[in-house]
Amino acid sequence: MEGGNAAYAGGRRGSPVFPREYQAETLFQIDIAFKMRWQFSAGGRGRGGAGAAEGEGLLQSRHILLDFAAEQEHARRIRIITQSEIMSRKPIIAANWKMNMGPAEAREYLAGFRKELAAFDGSHVEKVLVPPFVTIPAVMDALGGCSCVGVGAQNCSDRDNGAYTGEVSTAMLAELGVRYVVLGHSERRRYYGETDSFINGKIKKALAAGLTPIHCIGETLEQRDGGQLESVLRTQVTEGLAGLAPEQAASVVIAYEPVWAIGTGRTATARQAQEAHAFVRSVLADSFGRETAEKIRIQYGGSMKPDNALELMAQPDIDGGLIGGAGLKPDSFAAIIRAAC
Ligand code: PEP
């Protein structure tokens, strides 16, 4: 046992063993070595009131905790408080539907999704659906004014209004009740030639309209293999957010999406993702100061699924997910949200 207190008395595979007196209490809140916090309520017998224990040491992953929880006869509810929450970074999970789901399909999706959401307490997570433009009104309608799920757009214009055929302005999106806009997605960079300075113009328009930009960045496999990971991410972050005041930057969400992991089924390992996120946060600190950088949420995107979300979300600098394929099914998207709770 390292550091910690009596609550960590060792145990199978290093799991903590709680002394009996703690088991009758209703709440434990524990800080562990790598600063993930967790909390569980155990009850049934004894109404000893709230108890708290503080310690650090043996727990190395959520999985150990969940295994431990499953073994506890009286455990009723487990909730892990991540580093994001400690830093007041509310986890944000968004489903980018891309060019999928017309209005009718979206209505069907929402019926299933709302049922899924009703089955657990997802209030600790910001949930966002990002439909195609034409589907936005149907999604709003199906949400019936429920602000528990935010709606985002997949793009916006860098202009206010006028003769820009095919464009959609931030004011139009705001009028529909849209709160987020995904910008700089690798598909827009790759197929439509979007550059960092173009994306920067859109980010500024989004902020001016009160929308939250989700600024996508990420390296290709060639760039990673060629040792350019850091320079690519640094350029995308600094040029994409150029000219923003720290208060504006604090409200931007960054989505780190390694291009080689998008839609390929090949996820970055939790370690690779954490390293990239920590690097991105250091770049944000260089540009806007450490305090602001600690407030900025960084999502991971790239084949995130129910079975890898827990491990990714357990990383201290991963504050959510931008989900493509797995966001097209209400049950798998809800399962990812659940993993972030
Ligand atoms: C994406 O396109 O942003 C994405 C992460 O897709 P997928 O989850 O399908 O890899």
Side-chain angles (χ1 to χ4, degrees), residues 1-340:
M1 190 170 101
E2 301 162 17
N5 62 24
Y8 296 94
R12 193 167 67 83
R13 288 177 297 135
S15 307
V17 171
F18 282 82
R20 274 199 170 282
E21 62 271 27
Y22 284 129
Q23 290 189 19
E25 294 173 346
T26 52
L27 175 73
F28 292 95
Q29 195 166 11
I30 293 170
D31 242 343
I32 57 174
F34 64 115
K35 292 215 168 53
M36 183 188 293
R37 277 174 168 239
W38 55 278
Q39 202 181 54
F40 83 92
S41 57
R45 286 185 204 158
R47 292 186 164 268
E54 295 257 331
E56 60 182 69
L58 296 175
L59 290 177
Q60 292 302 319
S61 80
R62 288 180 179 208
H63 298 292
I64 292 175
L65 173 62
L66 293 172
D67 286 353
F68 164 69
E71 287 165 11
Q72 299 303 302
E73 208 187 327
H74 304 301
R76 281 200 304 236
R77 172 176 166 265
I78 296 282
R79 189 168 90 75
I80 292 156
I81 305 172
T82 62
Q83 177 72 354
S84 310
E85 275 184 82
I86 296 166
M87 302 311 300
S88 303
R89 298 195 301 261
K90 187 173 184 180
I92 174 167
I93 307 283
N96 173 15
W97 287 353
K98 309 192 184 186
M99 201 169 71
N100 296 293
M101 304 261 223
E105 230 182 316
R107 274 187 217 101
E108 212 176 297
Y109 180 103
L110 261 293
F113 186 51
R114 292 188 69 169
K115 267 190 214 141
E116 295 282 346
L117 287 188
F120 64 98
D121 175 12
S123 58
H124 302 291
V125 176
E126 210 164 299
K127 303 167 280 296
V128 185
L129 292 172
V130 189
F133 290 132
V134 295
T135 304
I136 290 171
V139 170
M140 291 292 181
D141 217 43
L143 285 170
C146 164
S147 60
C148 54
V149 178
V151 178
Q154 296 175 21
N155 194 11
C156 70
S157 177
D158 64 331
R159 307 298 164 117
D160 288 327
N161 62 282
Y164 301 104
T165 303
E167 291 291 280
V168 174
S169 74
T170 51
M172 293 168 186
L173 295 173
E175 189 180 334
L176 287 181
V178 165
R179 305 209 308 257
Y180 307 82
V181 57
V182 172
L183 295 170
H185 192 280
S186 62
E187 288 151 14
R188 299 235 36 108
R189 292 175 188 265
R190 181 169 169 205
Y191 302 129
Y192 304 100
E194 295 200 5
T195 62
D196 289 315
S197 69
F198 185 54
I199 294 159
N200 176 251
K202 296 184 190 208
I203 289 176
K204 287 177 174 158
K205 285 289 174 218
L207 287 168
L211 303 178
T212 297
I214 298 180
H215 173 38
C216 304
I217 59 170
E219 82 289 359
T220 63
L221 194 55
E222 296 69 44
Q223 289 166 332
R224 176 173 273 264
D225 289 347
Q228 294 168 273
L229 170 67
E230 295 195 349
S231 66
V232 168
L233 296 183
R234 184 177 289 282
T235 302
Q236 291 176 338
V237 170
T238 53
E239 294 188 10
L241 303 185
L244 266 53
E247 315 81 77
Q248 290 177 303
S251 67
V252 171
V253 174
I254 305 278
Y256 167 63
E257 302 202 295
V259 179
W260 46 271
I262 295 180
T264 58
R266 184 178 164 189
T267 323
T269 63
R271 188 181 177 157
Q272 285 172 320
Q274 167 56 27
E275 281 170 5
H277 281 230
F279 175 73
V280 168
R281 203 175 298 289
S282 76
V283 173
L284 292 167
D286 293 344
S287 300
F288 302 105
R290 177 50 60 186
E291 202 182 322
T292 300
E294 289 295 341
K295 290 183 189 154
I296 298 175
R297 293 175 296 175
I298 309 175
Q299 297 174 306
Y300 169 79
S303 300
M304 198 176 196
K305 298 189 181 65
D307 62 2
N308 59 27
L310 198 65
E311 194 182 0
L312 288 161
M313 284 301 302
Q315 305 307 310
D317 285 290
I318 298 185
D319 308 313
L322 182 57
I323 321 297
L328 291 171
K329 294 216 170 84
D331 55 346
S332 57
F333 186 46
I336 293 173
I337 293 167
R338 210 168 185 151

